[in-house]
Amino acid sequence: MKYNKYLNSEGKLYRKENTVYFMDTKGKKTPIPVEKIYALYCYKEVSFTSSVVILLAKYNIPIHYFGRYGNYVGTFYPKGENYSGKVIVQQSENYLNSDKRHYIAKEFVKGSILNISKNLSRYKLDYDKEKYITALQKVNRITDIMNVEALMRNDYYNNFDNIFKNFKYEKRSRRPPENEINALISFGNSLLYSTVISEIFNTHLNPSVSYLHEPYERRYSLALDIADVFKPIFVDRLIFNLVNKKIINENHFEKDLNSCLLNDEGRAIFLSKYNERLQKTIKHRKLNRNVSYQRLLRLECYKLEKHIMGIEQYEPFVIWW
Amino acid sequence: MKKTNIDFEKELNKLNVRGIEINYYFICKTKLFLFMNNMGLEKNHENVELGKLLHETSYRSNKDKEVIINKIAIDFIKKNKKEDFIEIHEVKKSDKMELADYYQILYYIYYLKKLGIESKGVINYPNQNKKKEITLNDENIKNLIPVIQEIEKIRNSNLIIPPKKKKYCKKCAYYEFCFS
């Protein structure tokens, strides 16, 4: 089983024969067995040599970089694109044809609504999912679909103060987040976004052609689309857990005048718990096989690919447990 | 001499099919359809990687490995000095897909014949310590030609072949794609 490696301290990657080593500023060396790595995530300054790049390319390992605020900066992706001309043409056709685009965009929002409602029902909180699904059926413009999405997400976030025991949520604030919960949400979302990018690159989909978000919104806007469906499961549930079980507390944040960010220790906890979650397996109903949470993202990409190729209609992943 | 060269090119242009496509044709049409549309999923799949490893580690002493002639890639070639013909070898993990393997190598022999090279085929199953020899004759050519035509038809049409579950699907690199 391959796993993600999170580099949470400053240092450099170098290669010795066929192994990559990470050396931190104190000179401590950690070997990184390259055959076991799925992707590298760098949260601090990490430099690497070209021989490292060559080795990582051989095993198709991407390196994701994040900025000071945990924001996604970019990915070095070794020649990994396995594009298929036909898929790209079909993907674009599904974007240009507004009926087809709306179908996919609505399915993404529907997925979010259903997963959100599952999350809230665990805390016995009411959520009128039918209202939003009916609203979704009525609209036929992307801006209106986005509006339904924004409304239902606001409704969801407004319930957060009933869920969290130790912190106040108040309202969603970004760039920079103003309090602890917002810091966790932002951090988690950008992490999930990069995880989805890794998965898209393993399919034939082009990450720039998206349906709910506009393709010019960000370089990998399709990852935004797919991440939306999974945020409630991968990120929000994790945060509920970390906060309510007091695994993360006030000492894990750095506070400034009007910003709040995870500190090194907090980030390390979050990353390790997130990774645990990615590796957790469930028995997939249709495949009749154990799959990891991370694999669910890949399967979602496959489903989308099948949809645009006209093999099978796309339906979003909805958590069933 | 020049004239025959042109003839060869004509003949080879007609044969636009790859060996792996012949193989997939017998295993699964969906797999063939996806592969032909560059939607292959062989990368990073455990079974495929094991197969690759087998190719690299078995028959090491043989120098002529991975002989690529236009569309076809033969695992390795040997010369039968006694009877003066070429033996073309294909290495496979197991004999579960015997029919597919048979037609794949039959196609290679046919392809070489078109180039004016007489050969015989051998399929090696090193894991099972088993070999199978194949020669081209009028009868199996008759069976092979419609297969080639059928594959060309799939390539040139916008046909979509949805997956159907077979008992050996679970080991396929495309399983998660087809049934997710």
Side-chain angles (χ1 to χ4, degrees):
Chain A
M1 186 68 193
K2 291 187 178 185
Y3 56 84
N4 296 314
K5 179 87 185 167
Y6 302 93
L7 300 171
N8 202 13
S9 48
E10 242 169 80
K12 64 177 181 185
L13 293 165
Y14 67 97
R15 175 178 172 180
K16 206 174 158 192
E17 278 151 13
N18 279 329
T19 309
V20 175
Y21 287 85
F22 176 71
M23 187 162 76
D24 65 14
T25 41
K26 285 172 200 147
K28 197 186 153 218
K29 296 168 192 168
T30 334
I32 302 174
V34 80
E35 276 163 350
K36 280 277 171 74
I37 299 296
Y38 198 80
L40 289 169
Y41 291 75
C42 303
Y43 279 91
K44 283 288 175 76
E45 266 178 48
V46 174
S47 57
F48 52 78
T49 59
S50 59
S51 56
V52 168
V53 172
I54 291 164
L55 191 63
L56 293 180
K58 195 178 159 198
Y59 290 90
N60 255 309
I61 303 167
I63 313 177
H64 301 293
Y65 270 89
F66 297 85
R68 200 180 109 64
Y69 305 108
N71 51 312
Y72 176 76
V73 174
T75 302
F76 165 72
Y77 208 97
K79 159 174 137 328
E81 309 93 339
N82 24 15
Y83 287 151
S84 148
K86 204 155 181 174
V87 173
I88 296 178
V89 170
Q90 290 294 328
Q91 206 184 332
S92 311
E93 204 266 332
N94 274 267
Y95 169 80
L96 292 169
N97 180 320
S98 58
D99 283 347
K100 288 183 181 175
R101 180 182 175 188
H102 293 160
Y103 174 82
I104 301 174
K106 283 179 186 180
E107 287 300 299
F108 285 142
V109 178
K110 197 174 105 191
S112 302
I113 296 171
L114 295 173
N115 285 320
I116 277 173
S117 135
K118 275 273 185 185
N119 268 6
L120 290 178
S121 72
R122 287 181 122 201
Y123 293 89
K124 305 208 162 51
L125 294 165
D126 280 338
Y127 190 70
D128 195 354
K129 61 178 176 191
E130 291 307 326
K131 183 173 98 190
Y132 295 114
I133 289 175
T134 342
L136 207 55
Q137 282 159 353
K138 282 181 192 153
V139 296
N140 47 20
R141 278 191 316 184
I142 285 294
T143 47
D144 296 336
I145 298 173
M146 288 287 238
N147 279 340
V148 175
E149 206 243 345
L151 281 174
M152 72 94 188
R153 219 169 263 276
N154 261 339
D155 190 2
Y156 172 52
Y157 284 142
N158 286 339
N159 279 294
F160 271 24
D161 274 325
N162 298 322
I163 294 173
F164 292 111
K165 293 172 196 154
N166 314 312
F167 289 122
K168 279 243 168 299
Y169 163 73
E170 288 163 351
K171 64 175 199 321
R172 185 84 179 99
S173 56
R174 277 181 283 193
R175 275 174 249 171
E178 281 165 17
N179 61 25
E180 291 85 352
I181 299 297
N182 276 295
L184 291 169
I185 295 173
S186 293
F187 185 80
N189 285 351
S190 82
L191 186 55
L192 176 60
Y193 172 66
S194 58
T195 315
V196 176
I197 290 171
S198 300
E199 294 304 326
I200 294 178
F201 269 114
N202 277 301
T203 69
H204 313 90
L205 295 165
N206 187 311
S208 309
V209 182
S210 56
Y211 302 97
L212 178 61
H213 296 82
E214 287 297 343
Y216 39 79
E217 202 164 316
R218 253 190 265 167
R219 177 85 165 78
Y220 300 134
S221 45
L222 185 63
L224 293 175
D225 282 4
I226 294 171
D228 266 0
V229 179
F230 289 90
K231 275 179 195 167
I233 309 159
F234 283 51
V235 181
D236 302 344
R237 277 195 185 193
L238 177 65
I239 299 172
F240 299 161
N241 233 313
L242 291 176
V243 171
N244 286 349
K245 289 192 175 153
K246 293 186 182 162
I247 299 166
I248 279 198
N249 58 45
E250 279 151 39
N251 302 330
H252 296 124
F253 293 92
E254 239 168 62
K255 274 189 160 178
D256 260 339
L257 203 55
N258 53 16
S259 80
C260 179
L261 295 167
L262 276 166
N263 63 18
D264 286 0
E265 198 190 336
R267 193 162 49 226
I269 295 171
F270 194 103
L271 289 172
S272 91
K273 294 287 173 189
Y274 175 79
N275 198 40
E276 259 174 42
R277 190 156 279 248
L278 287 186
Q279 307 232 342
K280 216 160 104 179
T281 56
I282 51 136
K283 182 112 177 174
H284 194 280
R285 281 177 170 177
K286 248 176 120 184
L287 293 177
N288 197 22
R289 164 186 290 187
N290 285 331
V291 294
S292 65
Y293 272 45
Q294 171 149 3
R295 198 71 180 173
L296 290 174
L297 300 175
R298 173 86 67 93
L299 298 181
E300 203 67 8
C301 299
Y302 285 161
K303 275 155 62 184
L304 188 64
E305 200 177 328
K306 281 196 281 185
H307 176 86
I308 62 161
M309 291 299 289
I311 300 170
E312 201 184 309
Q313 211 168 34
Y314 173 73
E315 269 176 33
F317 176 81
V318 179
I319 195 165
W320 61 74
W321 61 93
Chain B
M1 192 67 196
K2 244 184 184 171
K3 206 179 165 221
T4 46
N5 263 340
I6 293 163
D7 280 342
F8 280 159
E9 258 169 42
K10 253 189 193 168
E11 284 295 335
L12 288 172
N13 280 342
K14 270 188 224 156
L15 283 181
N16 212 8
V17 173
R18 293 169 61 180
I20 193 172
E21 289 168 351
I22 301 267
N23 195 285
Y24 284 1
Y25 178 86
F26 287 95
I27 295 173
C28 173
K29 306 274 191 300
T30 306
K31 189 171 178 168
L32 175 66
F33 152 76
L34 292 170
F35 183 82
M36 282 180 140
N37 284 308
N38 292 324
M39 292 165 75
L41 291 166
E42 282 82 1
K43 212 166 79 185
N44 294 335
H45 189 264
E46 199 181 325
N47 275 343
V48 180
E49 251 150 49
L50 281 175
K52 246 191 231 161
L53 207 64
L54 186 73
H55 276 240
E56 282 164 19
T57 52
S58 55
Y59 310 103
R60 278 187 188 207
S61 58
N62 223 292
K63 278 179 198 157
D64 292 322
K65 282 180 98 169
E66 271 300 298
V67 184
I68 298 170
I69 308 162
N70 296 316
K71 285 278 161 186
I72 61 168
I74 299 164
D75 281 353
F76 67 90
I77 288 180
K78 251 190 197 170
K79 201 168 179 192
N80 192 321
K81 279 174 190 157
K82 260 189 213 161
E83 294 166 52
D84 198 36
F85 62 83
I86 286 170
E87 265 179 25
I88 52 178
H89 288 255
E90 179 71 22
V91 185
K92 292 283 177 195
K93 243 174 78 196
S94 89
D95 61 356
K96 271 194 183 147
M97 302 294 171
E98 234 175 334
L99 188 70
D101 302 343
Y102 170 80
Y103 271 95
Q104 186 181 351
I105 202 147
L106 197 64
Y107 176 68
Y108 291 159
I109 307 172
Y110 178 72
Y111 197 101
L112 290 181
K113 196 182 164 73
K114 290 260 173 191
L115 280 170
I117 302 166
E118 289 295 327
S119 63
K120 277 181 187 173
V122 183
I123 313 174
N124 301 281
Y125 301 106
N127 286 346
Q128 285 147 310
N129 218 347
K130 205 175 136 182
K131 269 187 188 177
K132 205 180 156 190
E133 285 183 20
I134 292 149
T135 46
L136 198 68
N137 56 41
D138 289 346
E139 201 180 325
N140 52 28
I141 288 182
K142 225 195 279 167
N143 295 332
L144 178 66
I145 286 170
V147 173
I148 297 170
Q149 288 167 342
E150 195 68 27
I151 292 171
E152 281 301 342
K153 229 160 93 189
I154 295 174
R155 191 197 312 282
N156 296 326
S157 68
N158 281 322
L159 190 77
I160 290 156
I161 307 169
K164 265 185 215 141
K165 219 171 206 160
K166 301 178 195 68
K167 60 174 184 275
Y168 48 78
C169 278
K170 277 208 161 179
K171 285 197 172 172
C172 177
Y174 293 66
Y175 176 72
E176 287 184 332
F177 180 90
C178 287
F179 302 108
S180 62

